[in-house]
Amino acid sequence: MQKILRKKSFPQWVKKLESYKIYAPAKNGDVWNYEAVNHSEDIDLDYLNSVLSPKKIIFPQREIFLEFSTSNDGNPEINEVLPEENPSVIFGVRPCDAKALTLTDSVFGGDFDDLYYWRRRDQAILVGLACHNPPSPNCFCLSVNGSPHSKEGLDILMTDLGDRYYVESLTEKGNKLLNLGNKFFEEPKAKDKKDLEKINLASEKKIKRRIKEIKKIPPQLKEMFDSPFWDEEAMSCIRCGICTYLCPTCHCFDISDEVLSSSPIEGKRVRTWDTCQFPDFTMHSSGHNPRPDKASRLRQRILHKFQYFVERYKNYQCTGCGRCISKCPVGIDIIEVLDKVRDYGT
Amino acid sequence: MVNLEDLKKEAKRILEEGKIKYIIGYERSPNGMMSMPAFIKNPEDAERLTWDPSCVYNLTRFLVDEKRRKAKEKKPDTRPVAIVVKGCDSRAVVVLLQEKFINREDVYILGVSCEGAGVVDEKKLTEKLKGKKADKIEFSEKDHFLITSDGEKIKIPAQEILAERCLECRANFPVIYDEVLGEKVERRPEDPFKSIERIESLSKEERWAFWKEQLDKCIRCYACRSVCPMCYCDECVVDTISFAVAADTTAEEKAQKIKWIERSPDSSENFVYHLVRAIHLAGRCIDCGECERACPLDIPVRLLNKKLEKEAKELFDYEVGFDPEKPSLASSFKDDDPEDFIR
Ligand code: SF4
Ligand code: SF4
Ligand code: SF4
């Protein structure tokens, strides 16, 4: 289903979606992030990219699994806690971040469906916004099977045509949303389609960064596991969690019990984000750490994204959003690292 | 003005002499205007070194890595490493020396003058350039930066785009060095604690609301801790394994370890993290501002440390990182130390 929506009608359409919980990019100080919105007029789609991707809505940094306590008769009591039933719409999703969710889908799905992830995922409708201008100078989606107007993973894709949006519904869920605001949409004319094509072409040209000959990288990485290259590359790494916590595709977590009271027992079992970049991520209870230094941890990040994931899921575990490049406090640049990997030893 | 060629020549000389293991310095990033940390081993690579107002990083943090690496080596190379330091960074070296974390003979200090200016705040610059991309930034005549953008040269008064901490800097010339480049230009800030006066003027409730809003944003990526040269503890109280586990630590012992802080990034745990960090940096933080620069969520963490810096000054007349011979704040005692806050 393809439609045209006048920009001034956008808030009115959103108002029709009141039965949904609405999320959109919001500015706090200098940073944009996805937040729940109460007034449709507050949505500002004139933003670059958010610091954290919408991953944080589907796979929140903290998820309560269950609550435990001792009941009056002294028996343990366990209550499962599930994400609330609350259909949501996320506006302004960048194509790279939508694609990233298709990647975390394969991790939290497959042989075993992660109940918590899927409850949130199934309830969310993703309304994308094509990038007519790359939101970051470090965008490189074109190198990793993406594009600034990719529809993958989205329910609706909106494209800014100046005074109006080109709105394309891609799924049943998307159709439902459009139908709710039926009277605000117009049929696209030939000129709209032409404008859309022009914008899409132009947006691709504006993406400056590339990983060249990316196909050579996974086999090359396989050869480089024991290479001294990683020691050199990791010299400036400070072992913080920025690259992985901000990455829309990273999905590692830890499960722990938060004990509020030990007598009588009361507490919660929670899942929280974790990262391969923290030293304690691989620490065994014996004290042995198989990834003992930052070189082995940087290697893990790169190999997971560009070798292991490729071997297992036939896709890169990176959608080229550029966050890890822009926000690394010491300027480690995944494109530079991969360029060096590709050319290593030649 | 620091002559970059002199820096390169000196770097080349010390590497050729073979008395230095490697140099921790700055080099231009292949992508964009900012510099990045560089680790130079070969004399011919000394060419890569740079020094300009984009050299924001406090490289002394890498002395901590060097010490850890050396401790693990069976036959460690005991030659000193050389390090390029600005005034603020040199104060961090002083603290590491005071605390005997490193020895003076382990480091060869190459000081550079900030030329009466300082380093740039990337965000302020981006705003100033309104969407234009800067390719290069240089020190220009007194108090100005020279920006190259799209082949065009733009001169901007340094004051307008300086990093916040540079506006309050009390050491824009290295306080300790083996070799120093550039002239000493005195520039004393009118009020070194200006940034926190605004917070101090708020009521208790307003302050609580301010910090709650800020710290609620924290995702506990620990970049503020990881980038800090003073956060060198091998075990940090906030980590999930914040105790020594050895091969003979029993399961019981492990189970009984106190967990001081949960991983959940909620208000209570985030406050614990940030207050513990701030207290542990009292009388140690040299205000390089790296913690705040690194934070992806723009949380003004530096202000917490700044407040304690002010307390140290007012209560104990202690200024951090100027004299390596002086005992550190926490390990010194005077009979007339104030104690009226102990209740
Ligand atoms: S690895 Fe970096 S560029 Fe790729 S998706 Fe993750 S944060 Fe984005
Ligand atoms: S760098 Fe910012 S987000 Fe990360 S732990 Fe520190 S304050 Fe929190
Ligand atoms: S606390 Fe912040 S300002 Fe102080 S020394 Fe550490 S990184 Fe620098």
Side-chain angles (χ1 to χ4, degrees), chain A residues 4-242:
Chain A
I4 289 292
L5 177 68
R6 300 275 143 200
K7 275 195 176 165
K8 59 177 186 337
S9 306
F10 175 70
Q12 286 163 294
W13 171 40
V14 179
K15 238 182 232 142
K16 291 277 171 219
L17 312 178
E18 59 199 0
S19 62
Y20 295 90
K21 184 162 188 182
I22 309 280
Y23 293 94
K27 202 172 184 197
N28 183 343
D30 275 344
V31 302
W32 286 94
N33 253 325
Y34 287 86
E35 303 294 351
V37 204
N38 296 321
H39 305 287
S40 58
E41 295 82 17
D42 293 350
I43 302 183
D44 177 1
L45 290 182
D46 203 10
Y47 74 108
L48 295 173
N49 210 358
S50 55
V51 174
L52 290 159
S53 79
K55 166 182 97 172
K56 72 160 197 174
I57 302 167
I58 311 291
F59 170 50
Q61 190 168 3
R62 175 184 198 240
E63 180 94 78
I64 304 173
F65 278 178
L66 51 90
E67 289 168 348
F68 53 85
S69 58
T70 323
S71 65
N72 291 339
D73 55 13
N75 289 323
E77 212 173 273
I78 294 174
N79 295 312
E80 187 178 48
V81 181
L82 286 172
E84 53 185 55
E85 303 264 7
N86 199 349
S88 61
V89 182
I90 313 176
F91 278 101
V93 179
R94 295 291 176 193
C96 55
D97 289 344
K99 183 181 164 65
L101 284 171
T102 68
L103 302 175
T104 45
D105 284 352
S106 18
V107 177
F108 289 109
D111 296 342
F112 176 80
D113 281 338
D114 186 287
L115 187 61
Y116 298 83
Y117 177 89
W118 285 103
R119 168 108 12 145
R120 293 180 192 278
R121 179 76 166 105
D122 288 336
Q123 292 191 89
I125 306 182
L126 306 182
V127 183
L129 182 67
C131 312
H132 59 74
N133 269 320
S136 152
N138 293 315
C139 289
F140 61 99
C141 51
L142 287 171
S143 300
V144 279
N145 305 331
S147 97
H149 48 85
S150 154
K151 298 168 189 163
E152 207 183 341
L154 288 168
D155 296 298
I156 293 178
L157 176 64
M158 294 172 45
T159 309
D160 189 337
L161 298 185
D163 57 344
R164 62 206 192 283
Y165 292 112
Y166 196 100
V167 184
E168 181 175 358
S169 168
L170 304 152
T171 62
E172 270 309 305
K173 281 179 176 176
N175 293 346
K176 209 168 135 198
L177 281 200
L178 291 197
N179 287 335
L180 281 169
N182 220 343
K183 60 178 179 193
F184 302 118
F185 293 97
E186 298 158 29
E187 291 307 316
K189 302 196 185 69
K191 175 164 186 322
D192 297 319
K193 293 199 177 174
K194 236 206 208 127
D195 284 356
L196 176 73
E197 244 165 70
K198 243 199 301 197
I199 286 199
N200 284 351
L201 255 171
S203 68
E204 284 185 23
K205 290 221 176 76
K206 286 186 207 156
I207 294 193
K208 294 280 180 280
R209 303 208 66 190
R210 295 275 188 289
I211 304 176
K212 285 182 222 91
E213 300 178 86
I214 191 168
K215 293 234 153 47
K216 287 190 179 162
I217 289 171
Q220 174 81 346
L221 283 171
K222 209 169 171 170
E223 301 298 314
M224 285 176 66
F225 191 87
D226 291 314
S227 164
F229 172 80
W230 304 109
D231 292 305
E232 292 290 326
E233 279 309 295
M235 280 297 273
S236 64
C237 174
I238 57 168
R239 61 176 197 179
C240 72
I242 289 184

Side-chain angles (χ1 to χ4, degrees), chain A residues 335-346:
Chain A
I335 303 180
E336 299 286 336
V337 175
L338 292 171
D339 276 346
K340 285 190 219 165
V341 163
R342 186 198 50 237
D343 300 337
Y344 195 72
T346 60

Side-chain angles (χ1 to χ4, degrees), chain A residues 225-262:
Chain A
F225 191 87
D226 291 314
S227 164
F229 172 80
W230 304 109
D231 292 305
E232 292 290 326
E233 279 309 295
M235 280 297 273
S236 64
C237 174
I238 57 168
R239 61 176 197 179
C240 72
I242 289 184
C243 50
T244 45
Y245 275 8
L246 302 193
C247 178
T249 75
C250 280
H251 49 260
C252 286
F253 57 80
D254 186 20
I255 297 174
S256 57
D257 285 350
E258 295 185 348
V259 182
L260 299 172
S261 150
S262 49

Side-chain angles (χ1 to χ4, degrees), chain A residues 100 138 140 243 246-250 301 305-306 317-325 334:
Chain A
N138 293 315
F140 61 99
C243 50
L246 302 193
C247 178
T249 75
C250 280
R301 179 165 78 96
K305 291 182 176 302
F306 289 90
Q317 197 218 337
C318 165
T319 60
C321 74
R323 285 186 179 88
C324 58
I325 305 176
I334 196 163

